[in-house]
């Protein structure tokens, strides 16, 4: 095989109580990527979209991830990549992770599947570092593996796949920009022990609820005492969106990634669409442009087109 085209999906990280560790994979939106083998140890990036992303491999997350792949292989080969971005950069639904994960999963297929899942997450993480400057795998892991994931550690890489019942996510993406660096800057440097105890109790019970398929336990565990109270101030009408979504039947939800997207979970498609209407009702009043996605949690991750 000399060439492969993959679909690389959006993901949600910072899942309510699971800041910097829990993430899940969506079916839509996704990026379209074609990766081709070339007989020179180089990486070439082409964007077939209008986002004006950097084309130098060192500055593009897909390019950086592929350079990391080249460092791990002996052969005198390289990659050409064509990216059609459909996940808007800076949206909070893992736009950069999709490019990094899509690139390494595609390259791995061209190389005869020689890297393990943990290695793929690690390689893609080097790409993701271009976007955030830090080692984060909480969007990368669900993008590579699909489903619901917990990143227990990045050094050494230790990713756990979590069973989950049927779940839908409704995601509103207000078309405003929140700088991830600013969203990090405003976080508390220290956390009161009382809040930490409540938070880690909820992470534990959320995992138990997901594994057992206990929707009531999932709903009870979807609380965030540490990050949401600080970051929600960056997102216009956050409380109104949450209240209207809960009234429409949401199990719970919060800020997706570093924002500005907000996601809400539900048990079925009908409720997910009712939440979409509720979000629409709130945001139509704000004068801010927005997009809403409804998607099941996808078990697949990056797939061959
Ligand atoms: P998201 O939260 O949606 O993942 P990020 O803020 O993490 O968005 O990533 C977007 C940043 O990464 C932008 O600054 C963008 O310029 C940079 N970037 C570099 N290459 C890519 C790429 N191939 N896809 C998306 N973003 C990229």
């Amino acid at each position: 095989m000399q060439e492969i085209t993959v679909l690389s999906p959006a993901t949600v990280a910072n899942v309510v109580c699971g800041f910097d560790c829990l993430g899940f994979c969506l079916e839509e939106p996704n990026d379209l990527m074609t990766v081709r083998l070339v007989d020179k140890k180089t990486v070439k990036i082409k964007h077939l979209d209008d986002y004006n992303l950097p084309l130098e491999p060192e500055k593009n997350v897909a390019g950086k991830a592929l350079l990391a792949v080249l460092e791990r292989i002996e052969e005198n080969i390289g990659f050409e990549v064509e990216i059609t971005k459909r996940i808007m950069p800076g949206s909070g639904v893992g736009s950069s992770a999709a490019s990094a994960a899509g690139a390494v999963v595609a390259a791995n297929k061209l190389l005869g599947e020689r890297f393990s899942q943990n290695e793929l997450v690690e390689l893609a993480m080097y790409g993701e570092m271009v976007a955030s400057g830090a080692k984060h795998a909480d969007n990368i892991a669900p993008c590579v593996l699909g489903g619901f994931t917990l990143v227990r550690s990045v050094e050494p890489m230790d990713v756990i796949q979590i069973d989950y019942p049927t779940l839908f996510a409704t995601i509103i993406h207000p078309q405003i920009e929140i700088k991830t660096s600013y969203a990090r800057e405003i976080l508390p440097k220290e956390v009161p022990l009382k809040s930490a105890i409540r938070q880690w109790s909820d992470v534990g019970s959320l995992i138990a609820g997901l594994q057992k398929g206990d929707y009531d336990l999932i709903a009870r565990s979807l609380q965030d005492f540490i990050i949401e109270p600080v970051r929600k101030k960056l997102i216009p009408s956050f409380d109104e969106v949450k209240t209207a979504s809960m009234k429409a039947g949401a199990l719970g939800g919060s800020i997706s990634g570093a924002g500005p997207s907000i996601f809400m979970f539900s048990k079925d498609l009908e409720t997910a669409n009712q939440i979409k209407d509720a979000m629409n009702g709130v945001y139509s009043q704000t004068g801010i442009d927005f997009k809403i996605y409804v998607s099941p949690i996808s078990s697949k991750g990056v797939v061959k087109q």
Side-chain angles (χ1 to χ4, degrees), residues 47 53-54 59-61 85 88-96 99 131 180:
H47 268 279
L53 291 164
K59 291 189 187 154
N60 186 294
V61 297
K85 263 220 155 291
M88 191 173 147
S91 51
V93 286
S95 173
S96 47
S99 284
T180 308

Side-chain angles (χ1 to χ4, degrees), residues 200-217:
W200 64 54
S201 302
D202 277 324
V203 176
S205 58
L206 176 57
I207 305 291
L210 288 166
Q211 302 263 29
K212 289 190 205 182
D214 181 338
Y215 290 110
D216 287 336
L217 183 55

Side-chain angles (χ1 to χ4, degrees), residues 36-81:
R36 207 168 292 124
L37 279 179
V38 293
D39 54 9
K40 218 165 107 192
K41 225 168 166 86
T42 53
V43 174
K44 208 168 148 194
I45 307 279
K46 194 169 165 191
H47 268 279
L48 308 176
D49 52 55
D50 298 325
Y51 289 121
N52 236 340
L53 291 164
L55 298 178
E56 305 94 307
E58 288 284 348
K59 291 189 187 154
N60 186 294
V61 297
K64 188 76 184 173
L66 290 174
L67 288 172
V69 171
L70 289 187
E71 269 181 36
R72 298 257 179 116
I73 63 174
E74 307 265 299
E75 300 100 304
N76 195 28
I77 51 168
F79 304 101
E80 261 176 30
V81 193

Side-chain angles (χ1 to χ4, degrees), residues 118-137:
N118 269 344
E119 283 172 323
L120 290 175
V121 174
E122 203 179 335
L123 288 165
M125 190 178 66
Y126 290 117
E128 174 84 315
M129 277 175 76
V130 173
S132 68
K135 280 190 177 173
H136 287 298

